Structure formats: C-alpha cells, structure tokens
DNA sequence: CATTGATCATAA
DNA sequence: TTATGATCAATG
C-alpha cells in the first residue's frame, strides 16, 4: 500500500499519527516491503519505508520530501526515554562559491525550516522488526533554536570561505557539525584552500548533534500515544 | 561510552 | 558523480 503525496498538513499528520504505535514489522507489511536482517547494509531502509507510507514525493531529488507542503521528513532513532541515539544528517556542505550566501538562502536553513520528525523507538539491542514508530512532531525552529543554528552555520561557513576546510572537524559547532559524508574514504570532491586554489577533498555534510535532537524530543514530544 | 570519522545502498 | 536515506565502528 502506497499513499499518494499528501496535499495538506492535516492529511500528512493524520497519516503520521496513524502510523505511530506500529512496529517496523507491521509497517513493512503494510507497505509490502521485505525487512532486511539489520541496517548494517541498508542504512537508509527505514527512512525510505516511512517515506513510502507517508507518500513522500521527492525520492532522491534535491527537494523537500513533501514537495507541495515544503516539509522535510526525518526519522530519528531514540531510546525509550526519547534520547537520540544518532546524529541527524541535514545536507551536504557546499564547498565552492559559498561566500556571500545568506543564512536564509542556505541549504541548512531551507532544510530545517519545516521538518516532520518521526521517532523510531529503538532501545539498545532491539531487533529491527520490533522497533516502534513513535508519535510524529511537525517542527519549525523556535527563535532561540534558529539563532543557535544560524550561529553555528555562520562559524562553519566562514571557516570554509576562508579556505580553512581542512581545519574544520566534527568538534566545531554547538548543535550543528560538519563530518564526512561519502561512499568511503576515497570519495573526493573539489574544495578551496587558503590560496583560493581548488584541491581534492572528502565530501562533507552538515549534521545535527544528538544532544540537540534529544532536547527537541524532550521539549516537544510525546513519544507514544 | 559518547563522539567522530568512515561507510553502505540506491536512483538519476 | 551527485543526490537521497542514514548507521557503523574505531577511538579518545
């Protein structure tokens, strides 16, 4: 069973709430997907399962998951107390021509301006089929959250614009960090060094630290019905 | 034992 | 090769 793309927020939320409380096994059955033994070689499988159920429209396109609604979907593994178990990938880091890009025009801003968070309740050692879909949260950054994101984005973007990409590590940024995002350690793309010359480097991505997503859960969430 | 740096699958 | 979806696993 596949849903068509939702046309209203209310429709999307009705579906998302209906999905909560199901096990991954039940959701896979509804969507007619086979469950892999674990996520080791299928890291994006669960996110895509939820996409299909909810009717996300932008499969592997550079667009919000729900295009008509401009809403991004993120599944997030949490334990039974709502503590996030992983960081959350946001988008790739543009390494070229990022000078003079405003916060409002940045990919990070646009990706995070409206997000449907779907927690996957995953206590330690829970087998994939037994994980529970939690209550969804439709989120827009509060002023304080947006300011914090903006400050991190600005700091990291400034470093890259100055050609200091090789000095940026995952330790930079309070809630937003930059880490490799690549097929493996041999994947390369172009960056700009301090002399303004192009050089080959590992592709990078922006990620939300798990302490931030954990704070979101605990501020706004009712994990289960 | 939380966090960083590395990695896996798939589509276009 | 770039985008999407992320989690794995070594390490400080």
């Amino acid at each position: 069973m596949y849903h068509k793309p939702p046309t209203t927020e209310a429709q999307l939320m009705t579906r998302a709430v209906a999905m909560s409380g199901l096990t991954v096994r039940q959701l896979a059955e509804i969507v007619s997907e086979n469950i892999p033994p674990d996520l080791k070689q299928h890291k994006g499988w669960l996110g895509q399962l939820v996409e299909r159920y909810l009717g996300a429209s932008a499969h592997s396109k550079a667009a919000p998951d729900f295009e008509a609604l401009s809403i991004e979907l993120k599944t997030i593994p949490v334990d039974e107390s709502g503590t996030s178990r992983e960081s959350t990938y946001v988008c790739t880091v543009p390494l070229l021509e990022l000078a003079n890009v405003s916060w409002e025009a940045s990919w990070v801003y646009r990706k995070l301006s409206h997000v449907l968070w779907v927690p996957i309740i995953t206590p330690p050692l829970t087998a994939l089929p037994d994980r529970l879909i939690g209550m969804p949260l439709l989120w827009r950054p509060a002023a304080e959250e947006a300011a914090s994101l903006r400050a991190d984005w600005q700091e990291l973007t400034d470093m890259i614009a100055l050609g200091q990409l090789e000095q940026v590590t995952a330790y930079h940024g309070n809630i937003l960090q930059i880490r490799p995002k690549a097929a493996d350690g041999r994947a390369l793309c172009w960056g700009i060094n301090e002399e303004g010359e192009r050089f080959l480097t590992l592709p990078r991505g922006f990620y939300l630290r798990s302490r931030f997503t954990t704070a979101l859960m605990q501020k706004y969430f009712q994990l289960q019905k």
Side-chain angles (χ1 to χ4, degrees), chain A residues 7 18 27 42 54 74 93 98 101-102 104 107 117 120 124 141 164 169 171 174-175 180 186 197 203 206 215:
Chain A
T7 54
L27 187 62
H42 303 271
L54 294 177
K74 290 289 178 196
V93 179
L98 43 50
V101 172
S102 68
E104 288 78 10
W107 295 1
W117 296 99
I120 308 296
Q164 298 170 347
T169 75
Y171 292 98
N174 291 313
I175 62 178
R186 295 171 296 279
E197 299 156 342
F206 283 109

Side-chain angles (χ1 to χ4, degrees), chain A residues 23-104:
Chain A
T23 60
V24 168
R25 179 186 291 105
Q26 291 172 316
L27 187 62
E29 189 164 328
I30 291 169
V31 182
S32 303
E33 290 288 327
N34 295 317
I35 306 185
D38 55 51
L39 295 179
K40 284 183 188 178
Q41 296 189 306
H42 303 271
K43 296 179 179 179
W45 179 83
L46 191 41
Q48 289 164 349
L49 183 71
V50 172
E51 278 188 353
R52 288 189 193 109
Y53 180 83
L54 294 177
S57 48
H59 306 288
S60 80
K61 286 195 288 181
D65 294 291
F66 303 103
E67 287 182 280
L69 305 175
S70 296
I71 292 175
E72 179 72 16
L73 173 67
K74 290 289 178 196
T75 58
I76 176 174
V78 300
D79 69 14
E80 55 274 73
S81 72
T83 301
S84 169
R85 299 179 56 77
E86 282 289 350
S87 57
T88 300
Y89 171 68
V90 179
C91 61
T92 55
V93 179
L95 298 180
L96 303 173
E97 296 159 6
L98 43 50
N100 304 318
V101 172
S102 68
W103 164 238
E104 288 78 10

Side-chain angles (χ1 to χ4, degrees), chain A residues 155-171:
Chain A
E155 175 197 343
L156 294 164
T157 298
D158 285 349
M159 287 186 72
I160 295 167
L162 291 172
Q164 298 170 347
L165 175 61
E166 298 301 276
Q167 281 79 61
V168 176
T169 75
Y171 292 98

